[in-house]
Amino acid sequence: MIISRDIGKRVLDRSRKYPVLSITGPRQSGKTTLTKMLFPDYTYVSLERPDYRQQAEEDPNRFLRTFTNGVILDEVQRVPDLFSYIQVIVDESRRPGQFILTGSQNFLLLEQISQSLAGRVAIFKLPPFSFLELQSSPYEHDDLDTYLFTGTYPPLYDRGYEPHPWYMDYIQTYIERDVRSLRKVTDLALFQKFLGLCAGRTGQLLNLNGLAGECGISHNTARDWMSVLEASYLVFRLQPYHENFNKRIVKQPKLYFYDSGLLCALLGLQNPEQLAQHYLRGSIFESFIVSELVKARWVAELSGTGHFWRDRHGHEVDYLIDSAHGIVPVEIKSGETIHSSMFQGLEHWSKLTGSALDTGYLIYGGKEKQDRKSGHVAGWCVMSEILQSLSGSNQT
């Protein structure tokens, strides 16, 4: 069964206006499936295939002009020379929806796009499935630990793979195929150690010096490798909110993973039962919720990943939704029982900003929805309203 993707309608809409569309995302996020479904009459060409790649490298102009009725070029960054020829063709024809470009080495793909196709291309990011996409499918989970452990990559659903061995293969494939091709990474074993250390720091303030020291690399190398992980859509940094309210605030970003299943695999978890007892379960849950809020921003075509707020005294709000009606604070707690201490961040934010106490949200590890004087409560499996309001808001 093919699960409908939230960005599909927007992709089709842009294909009627832009000559080139680009869909980036991590490996196995469903880019090929989506493009074939949206553009069934287009020719699909994977430049991972040596024969196609050779044709494109030897005579790029002739290769591209063969496809007169639209073409999907997968892993197009493998032949960088194509981008200049695509520019010439679309400037001549001015026909919308002529080229659909996809790739998993997003750092290379976006670099080529910015150099050759600026102003001619609509860019979309496709993560693995979102919570909303899975909730509207037959595959939704009722058990939180099973959901977190399984993650959201499509092959775990439409092909029925077991999560732990699949993620182990995925990590190795990512390092062997994508990371090996980068000049920034020369020691693959050390890079894999770096990736594992990042997993142990999810949900924490990112200290690159400390991370570099533990991994045995320089600060500059840690910075470069972090940019590789971000460009691969494996991790992201959540930036602190800049308004200081006359108090000192932290300036470091927080580190999160886009997929909880990948995160569990990197932490060595082999089943949901181990996750239930793991000391980082709260951080894994927080990473899952924050990543869903970020995915909702992408559906709404909003830039960035959003913000959190924390001052030097330890007061914190896990996520801030900058909506058309003002900033909406969100607290994230993995516990299944609601108690008053869960609302401390929301209550402090209300006092600090003068905002109404009941405007914030608490997303927790239970399943109920409640309205309390200190904020709205939404269990992890009933948070659709929050995600939908975010993806449909007029944020900046």
Side-chain angles (χ1 to χ4, degrees):
M1 176 182 176
I2 296 179
I3 298 176
S4 177
R5 304 307 300 264
D6 290 337
I7 71 167
K9 184 177 180 181
R10 286 186 169 90
V11 172
L12 285 175
D13 178 65
R14 297 299 190 280
S15 71
R16 302 181 186 102
K17 302 172 184 177
Y18 286 83
V20 184
L21 279 77
S22 167
I23 301 178
T24 66
R27 286 194 178 275
Q28 300 293 321
S29 65
K31 299 181 294 295
T32 299
T33 301
L34 176 66
T35 52
K36 286 184 174 180
M37 180 182 67
L38 295 178
F39 305 97
D41 298 329
Y42 280 37
T43 302
Y44 172 80
V45 177
S46 173
L47 291 170
E48 293 275 32
R49 281 183 48 169
D51 53 343
Y52 285 142
R53 192 162 65 248
Q54 182 178 3
Q55 293 176 41
E57 289 171 341
E58 291 180 350
D59 194 345
N61 191 43
R62 181 178 181 180
F63 173 79
L64 290 172
R65 293 184 184 276
T66 303
F67 310 110
T68 57
N69 296 317
V71 61
I72 301 166
L73 296 175
D74 197 5
E75 302 299 341
V76 65
Q77 77 284 341
R78 297 293 299 269
V79 188
D81 287 346
L82 285 180
F83 291 88
S84 296
Y85 289 93
I86 291 173
Q87 175 189 341
V88 172
I89 292 172
V90 298
D91 286 349
E92 289 176 355
S93 66
R94 300 185 180 275
R95 181 160 60 88
Q98 196 167 356
F99 294 97
I100 312 297
L101 312 180
T102 69
S104 53
Q105 292 186 2
N106 308 296
F107 26 81
L108 301 178
L109 176 58
L110 294 175
E111 180 182 16
Q112 294 295 331
I113 286 174
S114 64
Q115 291 176 0
S116 303
L117 298 174
R120 303 168 179 86
V121 58
I123 299 175
F124 293 90
K125 293 180 283 189
L126 185 71
F129 289 135
S130 70
F131 175 81
L132 289 177
E133 288 168 342
L134 284 174
Q135 194 177 48
S136 62
S137 77
Y139 300 111
E140 63 173 315
H141 294 295
D142 292 325
D143 179 71
L144 174 57
D145 290 321
T146 300
Y147 189 94
L148 294 176
F149 179 77
T150 303
T152 56
Y153 276 87
L156 298 168
Y157 294 88
D158 57 25
R159 301 178 198 172
Y161 291 124
E162 289 295 319
H164 182 71
W166 186 86
Y167 279 112
M168 289 295 96
D169 290 341
Y170 182 90
I171 293 166
Q172 197 60 41
T173 300
Y174 163 69
I175 291 173
E176 290 292 334
R177 296 180 67 179
D178 290 348
V179 176
R180 184 183 289 277
S181 65
L182 296 173
R183 286 173 295 179
K184 291 181 179 180
V185 182
T186 56
D187 190 327
L188 297 182
L190 199 56
F191 182 84
Q192 186 160 352
K193 178 183 178 181
F194 178 80
L195 179 56
L197 291 173
C198 287
R201 287 164 169 75
T202 190
Q204 299 179 19
L205 295 177
L206 178 59
N207 182 341
L208 274 179
N209 284 327
L211 186 59
E214 187 171 350
C215 193
I217 57 179
S218 69
H219 172 86
N220 288 343
T221 298
R223 182 194 60 203
D224 290 343
W225 287 5
M226 184 62 65
S227 69
V228 169
L229 293 178
E230 288 181 301
S232 305
Y233 297 128
L234 297 189
V235 307
F236 62 95
R237 282 180 265 195
L238 190 68
Q239 298 296 331
Y241 188 63
H242 298 298
E243 176 61 62
N244 60 23
F245 302 108
N246 297 319
K247 294 181 180 290
R248 296 184 65 194
I249 60 171
V250 298
K251 297 180 180 179
Q252 295 167 284
K254 294 175 73 174
L255 181 66
Y256 290 103
F257 277 70
Y258 282 110
D259 185 79
S260 62
L262 177 64
L263 178 54
C264 287
L266 288 167
L267 292 171
L269 300 173
Q270 298 185 35
N271 55 60
E273 292 71 32
Q274 288 181 335
L275 170 60
Q277 305 299 323
H278 200 271
Y279 73 100
L280 284 178
R281 182 180 182 274
S283 297
I284 295 169
F285 177 75
E286 182 179 327
S287 189
F288 154 58
I289 298 298
V290 172
S291 70
E292 289 302 321
L293 293 166
V294 171
K295 291 175 187 178
R297 289 182 62 89
W298 289 3
V299 173
E301 298 182 275
L302 305 173
S303 62
T305 56
H307 298 89
F308 74 99
W309 181 85
R310 180 190 288 184
D311 67 17
R312 296 290 185 182
H313 302 291
H315 301 114
E316 182 178 13
V317 175
D318 293 320
Y319 197 87
L320 299 176
I321 299 175
D322 187 11
S323 75
H325 305 290
I327 296 175
V328 178
V330 178
E331 274 288 271
I332 303 167
K333 303 295 182 184
S334 63
E336 296 182 20
T337 304
I338 303 170
H339 49 83
S340 58
S341 63
M342 291 181 169
F343 296 92
Q344 289 179 353
L346 298 178
E347 291 168 349
H348 184 79
W349 178 265
S350 175
K351 292 178 182 178
L352 191 65
T353 62
S355 57
L357 189 58
D358 61 355
T359 58
Y361 284 89
L362 169 67
I363 302 178
Y364 80 117
K367 297 185 177 182
E368 297 182 7
K369 290 180 68 175
Q370 298 179 10
D371 289 325
R372 296 202 175 193
K373 66 177 183 179
S374 296
H376 306 286
V377 177
W380 71 276
C381 56
V382 289
M383 61 176 178
S384 302
E385 180 181 335
I386 303 172
L387 298 174
Q388 288 169 343
S389 65
L390 174 56
S391 61
S393 64
N394 296 317
Q395 294 185 350
T396 56

